[in-house]
């Protein structure tokens, strides 16, 4: 949708009039997204000689502190690591900041399993009161609505007008499967896509890091070129996995929701939800990884007998009925026992390692 350019271009325009260091801070919930945003700043800011600095966890803090002390024009960070720097050193200052951007603002501001509140408080104390704050999100949550109503200076608010919450080019399907046969259906789907469209790239979303790891091991046993991406991996492994998928070395990416937000991988033709997302907004972010920038794409959600109510909630939110995806069951039944045995073997190996 061009969300990143919507804040990168105005920031660069104002920066060009009076360039100085640390001019803009961009906060984002995931490390991968931080690097993607930095890439956009570099491409669009090259004529200005833009200096940027990415501050995320999993990488050397000393090297990051050195970069921050050199006063880059733009800092792109995850809240946790930037707050760590602010607590532990005074080699840089955010007091002259003109812009504070919260990308995926709903995720940054929501309270839950990954609560950024304490880190955001540290950061907000370090930035000046007189600044322009920009919040961007693909989904408007109650938190953002509340923030809009609390703001004292009548903020500018813009929402893309659309009756449907997902794009027209996206073919959205569901596949009703018994819980015990879910993996066999997945293997059959992947095999079908690879037989019919050898060059297609597929992202499979899973609920947990363990599921992600086990599914990756299982698909590799069936000689599918897959790679995993989840938050338990070391940061360099995560970057490497994403780079290999983007460059088509691997055609299948199995990921947790760490990859559901903002990541722009142009060539993804299919998104498969191995689990039905518990929240409609998670579904919207996941399926948004395909059918990007006017391209066509397909999203298939594997739905068990326990997930029907979740599908109804998703349909209500996106204002669209999901169509059933038809599969010949006999092909799935042929591989069911073998797939379940392979899954069990992979689970045992996963526990041992």
């Amino acid at each position: 949708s061009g969300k990143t350019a919507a804040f990168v271009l105005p920031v660069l325009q104002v920066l060009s009039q009076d360039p100085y260091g640390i001019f803009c801070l961009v906060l984002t919930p995931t490390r991968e997204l931080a690097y993607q945003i930095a890439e956009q700043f570099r491409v669009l800011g090259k004529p200005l000689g833009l200096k940027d600095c990415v501050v995320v966890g999993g990488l050397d803090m000393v090297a990051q502190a050195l970069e921050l002390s050199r006063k880059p024009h733009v800092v792109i960070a995850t809240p946790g690591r930037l707050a760590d720097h602010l607590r532990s050193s005074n080699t840089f200052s955010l007091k002259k900041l003109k812009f504070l951007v919260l990308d995926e603002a709903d995720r940054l501001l929501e309270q839950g399993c990954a609560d950024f509140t304490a880190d955001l408080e540290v950061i907000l104390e370090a930035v000046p009161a007189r600044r322009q704050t920009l919040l961007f999100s693909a989904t408007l949550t109650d938190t953002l609505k509340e923030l809009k109503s609390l703001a004292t200076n009548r903020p500018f608010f813009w929402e893309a007008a659309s009756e449907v919450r997902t794009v027209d080019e996206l073919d959205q399907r569901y596949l009703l499967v018994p819980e015990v046969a879910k993996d066999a259906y997945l293997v059959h789907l992947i095999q079908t896509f690879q037989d019919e469209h050898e060059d297609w790239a597929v992202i499979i979303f899973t609920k947990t890091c363990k599921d992600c790891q086990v599914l990756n091991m299982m698909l590799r046993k069936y000689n599918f070129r897959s790679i995993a991406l989840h938050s338990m991996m070391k940061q360099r492994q995560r970057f490497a996995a994403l780079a290999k998928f983007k460059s088509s070395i691997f055609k299948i990416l199995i990921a947790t929701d760490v990859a559901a937000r903002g990541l722009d991988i142009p060539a993804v033709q299919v998104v498969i939800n191995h689990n039905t997302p518990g929240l409609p907004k998670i579904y919207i972010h996941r399926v948004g990884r395909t059918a990007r920038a006017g391209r066509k794409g397909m999203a298939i959600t594997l739905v068990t007998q326990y997930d029907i109510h979740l599908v109804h909630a998703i349909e209500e939110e996106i204002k669209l009925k999901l169509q059933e995806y038809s599969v010949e069951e006999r092909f799935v039944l042929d591989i069911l026992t073998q797939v379940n045995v392979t899954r069990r073997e992979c689970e045992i190996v996963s526990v041992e390692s």
Side-chain angles (χ1 to χ4, degrees):
S1 63
K3 189 155 54 81
T4 308
F7 63 80
V8 172
L9 291 172
V11 166
L12 292 175
Q13 185 188 356
V14 181
L15 178 68
S16 67
Q17 294 158 15
D18 181 18
Y20 64 82
I22 307 182
F23 182 84
C24 170
L25 170 63
V26 182
L27 295 175
T28 179
T30 71
R31 301 165 183 183
E32 287 74 17
L33 190 50
Y35 271 86
Q36 185 176 289
I37 291 166
E39 221 173 272
Q40 300 289 318
F41 266 107
R42 279 169 209 156
V43 169
L44 296 169
K46 194 177 179 184
L48 300 177
L50 181 89
K51 287 192 294 178
D52 71 88
C53 171
V54 180
V55 179
V56 297
L59 298 173
D60 184 24
M61 267 189 90
V62 177
Q64 289 175 351
L66 197 62
E67 268 196 87
L68 285 165
S69 69
R70 291 181 183 139
K71 296 185 178 176
H73 299 115
V74 180
V75 175
I76 304 105
T78 49
R81 177 49 66 92
L82 183 63
D84 287 345
H85 278 286
L86 289 167
R87 290 184 190 108
S88 63
S89 80
N90 57 1
T91 56
F92 70 100
S93 168
L94 299 174
K95 287 296 177 195
K96 290 187 176 177
L97 197 80
K98 277 281 200 302
F99 288 97
L100 172 64
V101 180
L102 273 63
D103 194 22
E104 304 294 344
D106 61 318
R107 179 70 192 80
L108 287 170
L109 297 173
E110 76 184 356
Q111 294 175 324
C113 54
D115 193 341
F116 294 112
T117 308
D119 296 324
L120 287 172
E121 282 172 1
V122 171
I123 294 164
L124 291 171
E125 275 177 30
V127 299
R130 285 186 66 80
R131 63 172 192 271
Q132 187 167 358
T133 305
L134 307 164
L135 284 74
F136 288 82
S137 175
T139 46
L140 187 63
T141 60
D142 292 340
T143 312
L144 289 180
K145 286 175 187 166
E146 193 180 332
L147 197 67
K148 183 188 160 195
S149 65
L150 287 172
T152 52
N153 57 349
R154 296 186 62 205
F156 169 79
F157 175 79
W158 183 82
E159 184 177 11
S162 171
E163 283 191 21
V164 180
R165 300 296 300 275
T166 48
V167 295
D168 294 340
E169 291 80 9
L170 178 61
D171 182 9
Q172 300 178 72
R173 305 293 188 102
Y174 73 89
L175 185 52
L176 198 57
V177 301
E179 182 73 52
V180 71
K182 191 191 271 191
D183 293 331
Y185 273 93
L186 178 68
V187 169
H188 175 66
L189 279 177
I190 298 291
Q191 189 63 66
T192 305
F193 288 135
Q194 293 227 324
D195 290 346
E196 294 175 4
H197 310 278
E198 199 181 331
D199 58 334
W200 275 19
V202 179
I203 298 182
I204 301 164
F205 281 108
T206 66
K207 192 175 184 178
T208 65
C209 299
K210 186 194 168 196
D211 260 350
C212 183
Q213 202 64 39
V214 168
L215 274 180
N216 187 40
M217 290 164 70
M218 188 184 85
L219 290 184
R220 286 188 163 197
K221 293 247 185 195
Y222 284 94
N223 296 320
F224 294 120
R225 294 185 60 74
S226 66
I227 196 160
L229 176 67
H230 57 76
S231 58
M232 299 295 281
M233 293 163 65
K234 288 192 174 77
Q235 189 54 48
R236 292 192 189 284
Q237 292 175 316
R238 281 164 64 169
F239 286 147
L242 200 53
K244 285 173 182 172
F245 182 65
K246 278 186 168 184
S247 58
S248 297
I249 295 169
F250 291 90
K251 290 292 187 185
I252 302 166
L253 179 72
I254 304 161
T256 54
D257 287 315
V258 76
R261 282 193 174 254
L263 288 186
D264 184 26
I265 307 160
V268 177
Q269 281 82 12
V270 183
V271 165
I272 298 174
N273 289 312
H274 184 255
N275 71 298
T276 307
L279 292 171
K281 72 167 190 169
I282 294 173
Y283 174 85
I284 291 168
H285 283 286
R286 283 183 179 187
V287 302
R289 295 317 97 210
T290 186
R292 294 177 72 78
R295 300 179 187 88
K296 291 193 181 303
M298 181 187 285
I300 301 172
T301 302
L302 301 183
V303 180
T304 70
Q305 62 269 40
Y306 312 112
D307 305 325
I308 308 292
H309 65 292
L310 298 176
V311 175
H312 289 157
I314 287 165
E315 289 176 335
E316 197 174 318
E317 178 68 23
I318 65 172
K319 298 177 174 58
L320 196 73
K321 292 284 283 181
L322 302 189
Q323 300 301 307
E324 188 168 7
Y325 189 83
S326 59
V327 164
E328 287 204 44
E329 278 186 19
R330 62 192 172 90
F331 293 126
V332 178
L333 293 172
D334 287 346
I335 60 170
L336 178 60
T337 306
Q338 184 55 51
V339 169
N340 285 349
V341 169
T342 307
R343 164 92 191 203
R344 188 74 197 110
E345 287 170 358
C346 293
E347 282 176 336
I348 292 164
V349 172
S350 175
V351 169
E352 287 173 353
S353 61

